[in-house]
Amino acid sequence: MEKAVVLFLRVSIQLLALPIYLLSFLGMWEPFCKKIFFPFLLEKLTASYNRRASGHKQELFGNLQEFAGPAGELTLLEIGTGTGANFQFYPPGCKITCTDTNLNFQRGLSKSMAQNQHLQFQRFLVAPGEDLNQVADSSMDAVVCTLVLCSVQSIEGVLKEVLRVLRPGGAFYFLEHVAADPSSWTYFWQQVFYPTWKLVFDGCCLTREPWKNLEQAKFSEIKLRHIQVPLYWAPVQSHIVGYAIK
């Protein structure tokens, strides 16, 4: 019965979003989404998300400086930088390499860089998290990835690259929305919204379980918690947060 209800509601939402599905069928939605819609939407949503998740981010990044190199300098790689939503939480003097697959975030990213002059921005790389070949082995003290694993092609591939570029003893920081408890109403709505959400939000998957990938990766230590972020306007309240040490 539940599966039938999910299917009925899923089709209903797809009918409401029919213009987007038609644009997608014609090959017009993806370029419009990547170039205009999603960058605009992400910039607007970032401020709202940071207000609700700021406590978690402050706690998460509070010990970043502890992973600095022998000279006290912290070299950090951020995967899927977007509009720079995490910059304000990084320690002063942090040397950052930014990566993303979408150059259309540049307006919001440039604004965030100008507002966070306590940081040292090294370079911006157009690269997916699964292929960071422009970054040398064992060259980073820390790697950060927030709200990105939901849309990558391969979580395993990303974690493999993270381990490669981290120096021994370096840390991978993460904050990701994940699949809710299967017995919850949130999970029910995740199932309902899944196809349309993924189309509208540039490949974002609502029901991934990246904590399983992290547990299977070859980190020496993982500190991970399941939390709820009060995003009542969307089925993405369930998150994991923490860091893993190489």
Side-chain angles (χ1 to χ4, degrees):
M1 180 63 179
E2 181 180 324
K3 290 183 178 180
V5 174
V6 167
L7 182 59
F8 172 77
L9 292 173
R10 182 180 287 181
V11 171
S12 300
I13 291 172
Q14 289 173 323
L15 288 173
L16 290 173
L18 186 59
I20 295 177
Y21 279 93
L22 288 174
L23 288 172
S24 178
F25 176 76
L26 295 171
M28 299 170 65
W29 172 251
E30 184 175 354
F32 172 76
C33 180
K34 289 184 179 297
K35 186 174 181 179
I36 299 173
F37 176 76
F38 195 58
F40 171 81
L41 185 65
L42 185 64
E43 189 173 349
K44 298 300 180 184
L45 293 179
T46 291
S48 175
Y49 182 87
N50 268 356
R51 283 196 299 271
R52 289 166 171 78
S54 62
H56 295 298
K57 285 193 175 185
Q58 288 171 356
E59 182 180 359
L60 172 63
F61 297 125
N63 69 338
L64 254 177
Q65 191 60 41
E66 295 178 12
F67 292 96
E73 294 184 339
L74 179 70
T75 57
L76 183 150
L77 171 73
E78 182 163 355
I79 299 173
T81 305
T83 58
N86 297 321
F87 291 166
Q88 62 182 293
F89 302 100
Y90 294 158
C94 179
K95 294 184 175 181
I96 302 176
T97 296
C98 302
T99 74
D100 211 298
T101 57
N102 193 339
L103 280 171
N104 297 296
F105 295 134
Q106 285 291 344
R107 191 181 78 87
L109 181 60
S110 297
K111 183 179 177 181
S112 293
M113 286 179 169
Q115 292 172 343
N116 291 279
Q117 296 187 15
H118 65 292
L119 306 175
Q120 298 181 42
F121 297 101
Q122 303 294 293
R123 54 179 177 158
F124 178 88
L125 306 176
V126 181
E130 300 93 333
D131 185 7
L132 301 170
N133 60 68
Q134 299 175 73
V135 183
D137 294 0
S138 304
S139 61
M140 293 292 163
D141 299 312
V143 177
V144 172
C145 184
T146 63
L147 305 183
V148 172
L149 297 181
C150 60
S151 58
V152 299
Q153 294 297 314
S154 169
I155 297 177
E156 293 86 353
V158 172
L159 296 180
K160 183 178 180 180
E161 281 291 82
V162 168
L163 284 163
R164 180 184 65 79
V165 303
L166 275 176
R167 64 165 175 78
F172 172 55
Y173 285 77
F174 52 87
L175 173 63
E176 299 287 340
H177 73 79
V178 298
D181 186 313
S183 65
S184 68
W185 276 108
T186 300
Y187 186 77
F188 171 82
W189 287 110
Q190 286 178 336
Q191 297 295 311
V192 170
F193 280 108
Y194 181 88
T196 302
W197 185 278
K198 185 176 181 180
L199 177 63
V200 173
F201 291 93
D202 198 24
C204 174
C205 298
L206 290 171
T207 56
R208 288 187 173 178
E209 301 173 330
W211 66 88
K212 295 181 179 179
N213 305 96
L214 283 160
E215 290 167 355
Q216 293 169 1
K218 296 179 180 179
F219 291 102
S220 64
E221 182 181 357
I222 301 176
K223 296 183 181 295
L224 182 152
R225 292 187 298 124
H226 288 259
I227 62 171
Q228 296 290 312
V229 176
L231 303 168
Y232 303 119
W233 43 266
V236 289
Q237 297 99 317
S238 299
H239 284 60
I240 57 170
V241 61
Y243 62 93
I245 300 174
K246 179 177 177 179

